[in-house]
Structure formats: structure tokens, C-alpha cells
Amino acid sequence: MTDRDERREKGNQEKIKLLLSQAASGEICAFKIHGVEAPFEAVVLNGTSGEGQLRARGLVDCETQKEYTFIIQAHDCGVGPGGPGGKKSHKAVVHIQVNDVNEFSPVFREVEYHAAVTEGKIYDSILQVEATDQDCSPQYSQICNYQIITSNTPFAIDRNGNIRNTEKLNFEKQRRYEVLVTAFDCGQKRSTESVAVHIDVKPVCKPGWQGWTKRVDYEPGTGSKQLFPKMHLETCGGPLSLVRTTVELQTSHIGKGCDRETYSEKSLQKLCGASSGSTDLLPGPSASTNWTASLLTDSGRDSDLIFRFDGRQAAKIPDQVVPQNLTDQFTIATWMKHGPSPGVRAEKETLLCNSDKTEMNRHHYSLYVHNCRLVFLLRRDFTQVDTFRPAEFHWKLEQICDKEWHYYVINVEFPVVTLYVDGVTYDPYLVTDDWPIHPSQIDVQLTVGACWQGGEVTKSKFTQYFRGSLSGLTIRPGKIESQKVISCLQACKEGLDINSLESLSKGIKFHFNPAQSILVMEGEDLENMNAALRKVSYINSRQFPTSGTRRLHISTSVQCFGEDTCVSIPDIVAVVMVLHPSEPRITMAGLDRLTRPAADLSGPMGLALFQDLHIISTVTKGDAVSRHPAGRPEVQEEVIHNLDFCDMLVLGDELKPDLESLQLKRSALLGKHLDATNSTSGMSIYGVDSMSNYEQVIRQVRYHNWHPNQIPDRKFRLTCSELNGRYTSNDFTLEVSVLHKSEAGEHYNHIVAPPQYMQVVHHPAMIHSLYPTHSSGVPSAATVVIVICIAALVVVVVLGIYRIHLTHQQEGRSSDTNKEGEMDWDVTALTITVNPMESFQEPQGAEEVASEEDEEDDDDEEEEEDDDITSAESDESEGEDVPAKPSVQQGSKRVQMDWGNTTLTN
């Protein structure tokens, strides 16, 4: 029992003593407690006086039980000690109250508290904290005060635990607060642990899209990538009945409106299955297509060849290029980017014009823009019928003046003319008839970018200049283009996509434009719309796409239930960053020098120039260094892609048609998307096809030289490209030389002293086998002469070998020199025994001996020609099997030596 309980118990005992003394008049022997068991007992202190004491049997806890109530009686001793007849006093009720002490500290009900507020508001109560105390008395069990112990916070707390903010909170300044709070009971005892209160600040609710990023990186070759995987629409609780969202991919700054293939116009037409026979009126400037050299070009956009016309440039198409057989069916196609013309009454702006060259100013056919209208003029010559005919066809379209790239195709099936703009057909809103043109002998002039005014003026000039950009202007006579081919020619390689269309909710409606640059989605349920927008992705199917940014513009409109005014959703702008692709390195390798006899060049088959050509392409993985910072070498990986052009250029003077030519059989191009052009400056092979197909075709190009003596040497340079010159190969140079018969003898007619490092091979062990009768160490005079002669012969042979070796090094011979009649040097194995006692010190003497022996051999030379292999015979033995080459034993090593074609006899 505590001190507090003991003091309380003493006071109770005094009261009980008085009570008991009054209850019994005789001697008291005992006190008995009745009722509920209580932790108390009563003992007799004085039986005569009846004084007794009530005390606790153990500890009494107020928190366990605050009060005790029970009944007590006094018993006298009766007749004799313990005898019968004892009497009891009346029952007295005892009430004991246990007083409390402040032994417990306040404890908070929660481990931590969380709340969220909106910025810019003052709250009376953000949240309420609550603490409890286990003491039993109201004085010590009640919490009388709370206190924030975190300093410098814009919050306050009252006696009831309500937290409020003392100033307006700012989301941009601080988005979350954490404050510590403690509690005090009424006895001023503090809680042993403080509690943390987390308060999040939310911005003022603004309707709009949330959870999107302003930049999305796209790595080439990764397929489709989600743009907004965590995007959702915040409506601030407004009830919506319909949500309509438009996602637009803006790529007008990329090439001709988006990432398209940048191959040449002819290559693209082959890829799309277009008919052959089209004429490109705006080709890249070159020696054969020089009429576009004076025009302004913008070729910095991923090799797209774009011509810009500022109202001062135009081009005359040469007469030999102009299609002469335009019938009732033909097609005109071009890419055009055009804006509104300046001035109120703008002049005509001519894209294409065919007019009289002199004397008169009649326009036979033309294509021009006038006041944002596209007009096609077609004036036919008089035929058997002299009647009005459709002559002018007008289209009024927004695309003509929107300053964006569009693909225009005019299909003429006279008298019907159809316009395709980006693959969509448009009929003319106005057709004007006119009389046919009277036939005349006046030549016509076809021009691009303006119209040629050849008559009715003092000086011929251009007029009606075009202001805008053109690319790929072609005319295809005799046949119109199909819509499938037109769609293929203008198709984008990048666009928007939806991942897993089957997972979209049935309540979502969506629509793509033909270029897949605009996606419109509509739905009634907000969550379904959020899920649908998360599936929108970007895709670029080009192997080497144009790097850079693509803008994304997202606009949203909503409808509300029965309300005139509804939630306004602001537009958002993001970008797709297409990362730079790993650029391929195109490498050509092969034999770079051919030395052939004249018969190979002048023969009916000619000489195959690049029979051992190999074309490979590799890329360097840029992340190899980042993965291996220790400095490992970069990883070269071979890639397979197409080529679109290989140019075989003659270096030096052009080919002389009466003496030489390059030839390629048309059968070599069958089954491939390739064409070839040939001229005196070289041969061009073009078309989009695989590197292996280019290899096969180039290996079949043959060089014919009917008079090799007049043109003994030629050099050719081969260069290939991909994507219209975006990636080019190395310049591979091949030198072709004519091998004459006299060249073999020249290797031996100009003998020089041997180099210091050349040594004569000695084989002492062989002397006894060749000369068995000479057993003594002193040789005879005849033996000495023979050995000297042999030594001189060895010097001649070694020098010949050395010169041949140098010649082979200069000519860059490879291991496969047997191909296409390449000369094989005959190898003759000579086992030469030299007297070890002789020392070779005078090469001049050896040279004289060699000269004498050459004179002696002249008489027998004609007889030996039948047995020896001459240079001419070696060259003509093209493709024959070469016998195994013997070798000379030198110590323990086996050395192969190349010898001249002239057999040396001892």
C-alpha cells in the first residue's frame, strides 16, 4: 500500500473504531467483514473498549478500483472464551474511496497524423490530435493543454488539439510540412513522446491533364513507345457527360512534312510499284542534269532535295528531256509547300509551263497557283474535230496556301482530270472549255518555276514566277498512276499509334487522319478516357530516322450535365525527341590493282573489274563506353540495310567509245530493283536494293579495251550511298594495267647489286651427294670453277627473285590472284649446293659470268621455248590448275620462293 493509501486508511480506521466501540457493550473478540471480497481486514485492538482497526491486506490501486463498499460486524466473546452464546453487533456499512496520484504521462491515440490542405486558404481546423492519460482521477487523467514544439511553422494548436494554419500556404513555396506536437495533463505532466503531424499542401484545383511529361525520348529501332503512361484528367469534381481529346503530332519542320524515305524519286517509284517511264524535271544538279544548278536548294533536311523559288528563279527543261508523247493519259506529280501570295490581286504563280519558244505566246499545258487556287491548263492541238473542249480545271483547297508540305498528283484521262492531295481525291469545282490550238511549226519550251514568254515581247523572258518550295516534280506520259502507288509515295514513316486496340473500352471512339498524325478520341466515362490516352504511342519505322524534336499538341473539350458553362481544359504541348541513330559505316574492299594481258581486255568477254568486291556496313554502339567506363573498345556491329546508288567513275580522261567501254548485261538486273546508266564518264547503278544484290551486279560489270596498246592503264573509282547520299561509302579505287610479253624478261635484264640482308643459302651436307669422288678437303680447280659459276647463277636468280618480289608488293597482289585470268608466276624449285669454303665477295665478277652464260644460252633459246613457260603462255593459262610449288630446304624451315617464268639451266 502506498503512502497515500496509508494516510487515507488511518482516517477510515478512526471512524470504524468509533463505530465499533458504540456497537458493542461487552468485550469484543472479533470483527467480521461480509459481502464482496475486499482487500481489507479488521483486527481487534482492545476487546474491552471494543477498539479495532481496518487495514488493507495488500496494495490498493485507484486505476484498478476507485471505491470499495462492504459490511462489518463485531462479535463478543460470549460465556467463556470461545464459548457459545456469543452475540453480534448490528451490521455497519463501510465505504472506502481510493485517492489517485499522477503516475501516468499522456499518450497520443495515433502514431502519426496526416492531413491535406489547399493552398491560399485559412483553416479554422486542419485536423485534431488527441492524447489520453491512464490516471483514474479527473485531475490527472484529463489533457489540459497541447503544444507545437517545432519552431517557425505557420501552424497553431488549441487546448482541444485542433491545428490550424496561421497564414496562407503556397504550393510552389513548400508542398509538405511536418510538425511535432506534445500534450500535458491537468497535473502538468508532459507526454514522454511527441507525435508527428504531416500536412500536404495541394495546389488550387485546376481542371486539366496531369501526370504527363514535357519530353519523351525515342530511340530509333524500338518500335512503338507510349507517350503518356501516367496521364489522367482532373476535373475538380465537375460532373462530365462527354470528353473529346485531339492529339496532334506536328512534324512540318521535318523534311517534306514528316519523316519519309529520302531515296530518289525514281527509287521510290520502284519501291511503290509505279510504272516506269516517268521524267524527273527537278533532279539533283549534275553534269548531265545541269538545268537545276542555278536553282536554290535546301538539302540540309536529311538529304531531301528541296528547291526553293523566291519569285526570281526558273529552269528551262532541255528538249531531249521533255516528254514528247503526251497522249490522253498522263500524270503530273510534285511535292509543294506554298503560302498566300502577297498583294490583293496576286499574279499567277507557275509550277510547270509548256509554251511556245518563239514568235507566239501560247500555253499548251501548265500548272499554276492563283489566289490559293490550283489551276491545270491543257490546250490540245486541232484534230479531226474542231469543237470546244475542257481546257482549264480549277481546285480551291486550304492546303494550297497553308505553308505546309503536300503531295499533289494530277491524273489526266482526257477529258476527266482528277487531283490527289496527300492521297485524297478532289474533283475540280470549275471546268472551263476552250478551242483547240492551231497547229504550227513553232518549237515549245518546258519550264519549271515560271512560264516562258517567247512571243509578243521584244525580248523573250520568264514571267509568272512561283514563290514556294517544290520537290520531285515528275511527268509520266501514256499512263496514269494508281491510288495505291500515290498513297505509297506520300506515306509517312512516323506517326501516332494505339497499343492494344482490343483493350480499349467499347465506349471509346477514335479516328486517325490518313497520315496518322492526328488522333481524335471520344468517350463518356472519364476513367475509360484516361486509360485510352495512356495507350497513345509514337512509332517511327525508318531504320535511320531523322533525329530531332516532334511537337505534340493535345486539346480537350468536355460537356457537362445540364449546365450552360462547363469545365475548361487547357491545351498541353509536349515534344518527342527522336535520338540520333547509330550511323552506318559502309565499307567496300577487294583487289585494288589488276594487271592482265591485252588479250583479256580485248577479248569478247572483256575484263571483270570488281569480281572480288565485298560491301559491308557496320555501326558503332554508342552505349558501349557508358556500360564499360574502364575504357573497353567500342563494339562494332554489322548491320544489314539497303543501298540506293553506286557510281563507277572513270578517273582521268573519259572513255573513248571507239576504243573502250564499260558493259553490263541486262540479265544481271533481272529480279532486282536496280537500273543502270552508262556513259563515257562511267556507269551508275541505282535503285533501292540490298547490299548483296549490289555486289552481284557490280561484279558483272566488264571493261572492254579493243586497243590496249593505245590505252594501257585505267583507273576506276567506285562509291556507293544509302538514303540519297545521307550515308556514303569509302572511295574504292581500282587500277587496271595491260601486261605485255616483254615485261617478263625485264625482270632479269636490269641486275643490280644484292641488298645487304640477302644471303646465299649454304648446304654443306649436299656436297658429298653431288660430288662423291671428292673426299679430300681441298677442291680441284674444276670444282672451284664450277662452284664459282654456280655462285654467280645463284646471285642472278636471287636478284631476279627480289625484283619480282618488289614488283608483287607494288602491284598489291592478294592471295586469290588466280581470279579472272590474273597471271600466275611459275615456281621452279632449285636445290643449289655451294662449296662452303668459297666466300662470295665480288658481285661484279658474277655479273660478268652471268653475261657470258646468257650469250651461250642464246643459241639454245629457241629449242628451250617449247619446254619453258613464257609470260604470254602463263597469262593465257587462265583458270588452269597450277601444280604444287616445290620448296627449298633451309635449315629446319620450309620456304616457298617465287621464280621467274624463264627456266634457268645449269
Side-chain angles (χ1 to χ4, degrees):
M1 183 179 296
T2 62
D3 295 339
R4 174 198 64 180
D5 297 332
E6 290 178 355
R7 290 192 301 270
R8 186 184 310 125
E9 186 61 26
K10 287 181 180 180
N12 294 335
Q13 290 174 0
E14 296 295 332
K15 297 178 181 178
I16 295 173
K17 182 189 294 185
L18 178 61
L19 177 63
L20 294 178
S21 63
Q22 295 175 353
S25 57
E27 185 175 354
I28 302 302
C29 287
F31 298 100
K32 187 177 181 180
I33 297 175
H34 301 277
V36 181
E37 288 190 10
F40 300 99
E41 63 180 359
V43 296
V44 179
L45 296 180
N46 191 332
T48 304
S49 61
E51 182 180 356
Q53 186 181 32
L54 184 65
R55 59 187 182 188
R57 294 195 302 267
L59 296 177
V60 179
D61 191 358
C62 178
E63 284 71 33
T64 303
Q65 189 169 344
K66 296 180 181 181
E67 295 180 350
Y68 295 91
T69 302
F70 53 85
I71 298 173
I72 190 171
Q73 276 184 314
H75 293 257
D76 61 11
C77 296
V79 182
K87 295 183 179 180
K88 304 176 182 178
S89 67
H90 66 279
K91 296 178 180 180
V93 179
V94 179
H95 181 75
I96 298 176
Q97 183 176 3
V98 181
N99 293 332
D100 188 21
V101 293
N102 196 2
E103 56 181 325
F104 291 99
S105 300
V107 177
F108 288 95
R109 291 187 179 274
E110 303 292 339
V111 177
E112 61 182 12
Y113 290 87
H114 295 270
V117 296
T118 303
E119 64 176 345
K121 294 177 63 176
I122 296 293
Y123 290 82
D124 294 334
S125 177
I126 298 175
L127 80 160
Q128 184 180 17
V129 297
E130 185 179 2
T132 59
D133 196 312
Q134 295 183 10
D135 290 318
C136 64
S137 64
Q139 179 182 1
Y140 300 130
S141 63
Q142 293 183 357
I143 305 300
C144 290
N145 193 19
Y146 292 93
Q147 182 181 346
I148 296 176
I149 61 176
T150 304
S151 60
N152 299 324
T153 58
F155 300 99
I157 190 170
D158 61 14
R159 297 172 63 88
N160 296 322
N162 294 307
I163 298 177
R164 58 183 178 84
N165 57 320
T166 58
E167 61 184 48
K168 295 181 179 180
L169 305 180
N170 190 315
F171 176 77
E172 299 296 334
K173 181 179 179 181
Q174 188 168 347
R175 301 187 178 185
R176 192 173 194 186
Y177 293 88
E178 181 178 343
V179 295
L180 297 178
V181 178
T182 188
F184 296 88
D185 61 18
C186 294
Q188 293 304 307
K189 191 163 188 175
R190 180 177 173 175
S191 59
T192 56
E193 294 184 1
S194 302
V195 69
V197 180
H198 302 279
I199 301 175
D200 293 324
V201 181
K202 291 185 177 181
V204 176
C205 184
K206 297 177 182 178
W209 291 102
Q210 296 182 4
W212 57 278
T213 56
K214 293 184 178 180
R215 169 172 166 163
V216 179
D217 289 339
Y218 179 81
E219 184 176 353
T222 56
S224 179
K225 182 172 183 178
Q226 283 182 271
L227 295 174
F228 313 109
K230 298 180 180 179
M231 191 174 186
H232 66 278
L233 182 61
E234 176 62 59
T235 61
C236 297
L240 306 180
S241 60
L242 184 66
V243 180
R244 179 186 176 92
T245 300
T246 301
V247 183
E248 182 180 0
L249 180 68
Q250 299 175 344
T251 57
S252 59
H253 63 292
I254 305 295
K256 295 192 290 284
C258 72
D259 215 3
R260 293 182 168 90
E261 294 291 7
T262 57
Y263 296 116
S264 65
E265 195 67 27
K266 286 188 176 180
S267 298
L268 286 175
Q269 290 174 357
K270 272 210 164 188
L271 283 176
C272 294
S275 303
S276 60
S278 65
T279 301
D280 189 0
L281 302 181
L282 287 177
S286 65
S288 59
T289 59
N290 57 0
W291 68 87
T292 60
S294 62
L295 300 179
L296 299 176
T297 60
D298 184 6
S299 58
R301 295 175 176 173
D302 193 21
S303 301
D304 277 349
L305 188 58
I306 296 170
F307 293 89
R308 293 188 293 109
F309 296 86
D310 59 0
R312 290 175 293 189
Q313 289 85 23
K316 290 183 180 180
I317 308 301
D319 293 339
Q320 66 271 18
V321 178
V322 177
Q324 302 295 333
N325 55 343
L326 290 185
T327 60
D328 287 346
Q329 286 189 341
F330 62 93
T331 297
I332 299 176
T334 186
W335 286 93
M336 182 178 72
K337 180 180 179 181
H338 180 261
S341 304
V344 179
R345 296 178 60 111
E347 295 183 354
K348 296 179 180 179
E349 299 179 57
T350 303
L351 285 74
L352 180 68
C353 181
N354 182 271
S355 59
D356 291 333
K357 184 176 293 187
T358 59
E359 301 179 25
M360 303 182 70
N361 193 30
R362 299 176 303 177
H363 294 183
H364 294 256
Y365 62 87
S366 67
L367 180 64
Y368 62 90
V369 175
H370 189 209
N371 290 330
C372 294
R373 291 173 173 82
L374 187 66
V375 182
F376 176 63
L377 172 67
L378 180 62
R379 299 285 304 279
R380 308 307 298 268
D381 292 339
F382 265 98
T383 55
Q384 296 178 356
V385 180
D386 183 9
T387 60
F388 260 18
R389 288 188 172 191
E392 281 189 354
F393 304 85
H394 299 248
W395 294 270
K396 184 178 181 181
L397 303 173
E398 295 179 358
Q399 294 93 320
I400 297 173
C401 286
D402 63 359
K403 296 183 179 180
E404 302 289 345
W405 279 105
H406 300 285
Y407 188 54
Y408 298 84
V409 178
I410 294 179
N411 273 348
V412 178
E413 286 183 294
F414 195 79
V416 178
V417 177
T418 305
L419 172 67
Y420 291 82
V421 180
D422 298 332
V424 181
T425 58
Y426 296 90
D427 294 325
Y429 78 94
L430 177 63
V431 178
T432 304
D433 297 337
D434 202 348
W435 293 101
I437 294 180
H438 290 279
S440 66
Q441 302 299 321
I442 302 174
D443 293 333
V444 293
Q445 176 66 61
L446 183 62
T447 57
V448 175
C451 199
W452 182 253
Q453 192 171 2
E456 301 179 0
V457 291
T458 57
K459 183 179 179 181
S460 299
K461 63 178 182 178
F462 285 114
T463 185
Q464 300 176 5
Y465 285 98
F466 177 70
R467 295 175 178 85
S469 298
L470 296 177
S471 180
L473 178 58
T474 61
I475 296 181
R476 182 187 304 279
K479 190 173 182 180
I480 64 172
E481 206 61 89
S482 66
Q483 187 168 7
K484 180 180 179 181
V485 172
I486 294 172
S487 299
C488 175
L489 289 172
Q490 61 89 36
C492 285
K493 291 295 183 178
E494 64 178 341
L496 299 173
D497 193 15
I498 297 180
N499 289 335
S500 61
L501 285 173
E502 61 278 1
S503 64
L504 287 181
S505 172
K506 295 182 180 180
I508 299 297
K509 300 177 182 178
F510 65 92
H511 172 72
F512 283 102
N513 67 332
Q516 283 198 219
S517 60
I518 299 177
L519 169 63
V520 180
M521 305 187 75
E522 188 176 282
E524 298 178 356
D525 184 78
L526 182 58
E527 289 304 319
N528 288 339
M529 279 294 296
N530 289 336
L533 261 295
R534 296 188 191 107
K535 298 180 184 297
V536 177
S537 60
Y538 169 82
I539 188 171
N540 195 319
S541 59
R542 289 190 66 185
Q543 188 174 12
F544 307 108
T546 306
S547 60
T549 60
R550 278 81 163 152
R551 286 168 54 90
L552 286 169
H553 183 266
I554 302 177
S555 58
T556 305
S557 61
V558 298
Q559 296 178 8
C560 301
F561 290 101
E563 295 185 8
D564 297 335
T565 60
C566 199
V567 181
S568 177
I569 307 298
D571 294 353
I572 63 175
V573 176
V575 295
V576 176
M577 177 61 71
V578 179
L579 303 180
H580 196 71
S582 298
E583 295 189 357
R585 182 179 180 181
I586 306 171
T587 304
M588 293 186 295
L591 192 64
D592 60 357
R593 181 169 182 177
L594 295 177
T595 302
R596 294 290 186 270
D600 287 358
L601 278 70
S602 59
M605 297 296 295
L607 177 64
L609 295 178
F610 303 96
Q611 192 171 18
D612 63 343
L613 178 71
H614 293 282
I615 306 176
I616 62 172
S617 182
T618 57
V619 296
T620 301
K621 291 301 182 180
D623 57 349
V625 177
S626 61
R627 289 197 303 263
H628 306 291
R632 292 189 181 181
E634 295 180 339
V635 177
Q636 294 284 342
E637 180 179 328
E638 186 172 350
V639 294
I640 304 299
H641 58 84
N642 293 328
L643 299 177
D644 63 351
F645 193 87
C646 281
D647 197 1
M648 194 182 307
L649 183 65
V650 180
L651 300 181
D653 297 335
E654 293 188 356
L655 298 176
K656 299 178 181 179
D658 55 337
L659 300 178
E660 55 185 342
S661 70
L662 291 173
Q663 295 183 8
L664 177 65
K665 294 182 179 180
R666 297 301 302 178
S667 60
L669 302 175
L670 294 178
K672 303 177 178 64
H673 296 290
L674 298 177
D675 276 328
T677 58
N678 199 355
S679 67
T680 58
S681 60
M683 180 179 291
S684 296
I685 302 171
Y686 60 91
V688 181
D689 214 328
S690 63
M691 290 184 290
S692 61
N693 281 350
Y694 266 93
E695 273 186 8
Q696 295 175 18
V697 173
I698 294 174
R699 289 176 181 178
Q700 299 183 57
V701 176
R702 309 186 78 88
Y703 171 61
H704 291 258
N705 189 337
W706 292 281
H707 297 280
N709 294 330
Q710 299 185 27
I711 309 175
D713 299 310
R714 271 295 183 189
K715 287 186 178 181
F716 301 91
R717 185 176 67 197
L718 180 64
T719 305
C720 295
S721 72
E722 160 73 318
L723 293 175
N724 202 18
R726 179 178 177 184
Y727 304 115
T728 57
S729 69
N730 60 310
D731 291 339
F732 180 73
T733 303
L734 173 66
E735 183 176 352
V736 178
S737 301
V738 177
L739 179 67
H740 300 284
K741 293 184 179 180
S742 60
E743 290 185 5
E746 291 176 359
H747 292 295
Y748 312 101
N749 292 335
H750 305 285
I751 301 178
V752 296
Q756 296 295 330
Y757 59 83
M758 297 288 289
Q759 297 181 359
V760 178
V761 180
H762 299 275
H763 292 281
M766 299 295 295
I767 296 176
H768 302 286
S769 63
L770 291 177
Y771 308 99
T773 59
H774 294 273
S775 58
S776 64
V778 180
S780 65
T783 303
V784 172
V785 172
I786 293 173
V787 170
I788 292 174
C789 294
I790 293 176
L793 181 60
V794 168
V795 172
V796 173
V797 173
V798 169
L799 291 177
I801 294 172
Y802 176 62
R803 181 164 184 176
I804 293 171
H805 179 66
L806 291 180
T807 304
H808 285 191
Q809 285 185 336
Q810 293 173 357
E811 294 179 354
R813 294 191 176 274
S814 64
S815 61
D816 53 349
T817 55
N818 292 330
K819 296 180 180 179
E820 281 296 311
E822 185 174 351
M823 183 175 64
D824 294 324
W825 295 97
D826 180 50
V827 179
T828 304
L830 299 181
T831 304
I832 303 171
T833 304
V834 181
N835 191 338
M837 301 186 63
E838 295 290 334
S839 60
F840 180 71
Q841 296 178 348
E842 298 180 357
Q844 292 84 357
E847 183 176 346
E848 294 175 359
V849 174
S851 300
E852 293 176 359
E853 291 186 1
D854 289 343
E855 291 176 1
E856 293 176 0
D857 293 340
D858 289 339
D859 297 335
D860 302 332
E861 186 175 6
E862 293 180 0
E863 297 177 3
E864 294 175 353
E865 282 182 353
D866 297 335
D867 299 330
D868 298 341
I869 301 176
T870 63
S871 300
E873 290 173 342
S874 176
D875 291 334
E876 292 174 358
S877 63
E878 179 179 324
E880 295 181 0
D881 294 334
V882 180
K885 300 179 181 180
S887 59
V888 179
Q889 293 291 338
Q890 184 177 8
S892 62
K893 297 182 180 178
R894 193 172 188 86
V895 183
Q896 284 190 344
M897 306 180 69
D898 292 338
W899 298 89
N901 291 327
T902 303
T903 304
L904 301 178
T905 59
N906 293 330

